[in-house]
Every structure is written in C-alpha cells, then in structure tokens.
Amino acid sequence: MKFRKKPVVIDAIQWTGTNLFDVITFTDGAPDIRSMHAGEKRDEYCKLVDSDGLKIFTLEGKMNASVGDWIIKGVSGEFYPCKPDIFALKIGRASCRERV
C-alpha cells in the first residue's frame, strides 16, 4: 500500500552554536531573567552546553543536537533535532531558505 503524507507547516530553528537563547526560547518559551537566580542558571546552562553539547529532550529521551542541526517542533508539540540534509529532503531544498 502507498500513503501520502499530509503537508503541514512546521516550526523549526537551526542550531548555529551561537544562538542558544533563541533555541531555549523556541523550545521552552522565553526564559525569565529578571531574577538573580534565573540569570545564574542561564550562565550555568551556557557552560554546560559548551562542555557537553546541546541536548534536546524528545519523546524518546535526550538527543544531542550538533551545530547545523534543525530543532523541529512536532505536530504534538514535541521537539527533536534533525540533520540538515534530512531537513532539506523533508521540506524540499528550495523551501529550506523560505519562511512562511
């Protein structure tokens, strides 16, 4: 049997290695940095990502995201990393550069 996937609009952000706070905002919502405690935790998290890499919490568990990977929000609100070449295949190479 053959099936056709229904086209959907997806939300995604590319991990550049320098846009950690954009990725945090995309996956968790805007961080609250008004308190001293939140600011300290933010700095600790930056150091952790620098040493251990970016981890994305998926339905299947923690997954590493490499620089260049796309972080995709799934249809149920879950997040997962996707390699750039797979991302390009899924949405079409021309569409990679386009935003909706």
Side-chain angles (χ1 to χ4, degrees), residues 3-4 8 18 22 25 27 32 41 45 49-51 53 55 64 66 80 83 91 93 96 99:
F3 298 89
R4 182 181 309 260
V8 295
T18 60
D22 293 334
T25 300
T27 57
D32 182 359
K41 293 296 179 186
Y45 188 65
V49 169
D50 285 342
S51 65
K55 310 285 189 232
N64 292 326
S66 301
Y80 55 95
K83 295 295 178 196
I91 66 166
R93 294 197 185 277
C96 283
R99 292 187 178 181

Side-chain angles (χ1 to χ4, degrees), residues 53-72:
L54 180 64
K55 310 285 189 232
I56 302 297
F57 293 88
T58 72
L59 296 176
E60 291 82 30
K62 258 191 302 194
M63 295 181 74
N64 292 326
S66 301
V67 171
D69 285 357
W70 287 88
I71 312 305
I72 297 174

Side-chain angles (χ1 to χ4, degrees), residues 6-44:
K6 182 166 86 171
V8 295
V9 174
I10 62 166
D11 289 324
I13 186 171
Q14 192 169 31
W15 169 231
T16 65
T18 60
N19 62 338
L20 178 60
F21 298 120
D22 293 334
V23 171
I24 291 170
T25 300
F26 178 71
T27 57
D28 294 332
D32 182 359
I33 59 169
R34 290 174 287 193
S35 71
M36 176 69 81
H37 178 71
E40 290 170 3
K41 293 296 179 186
R42 193 174 189 174
D43 291 341
E44 287 175 23

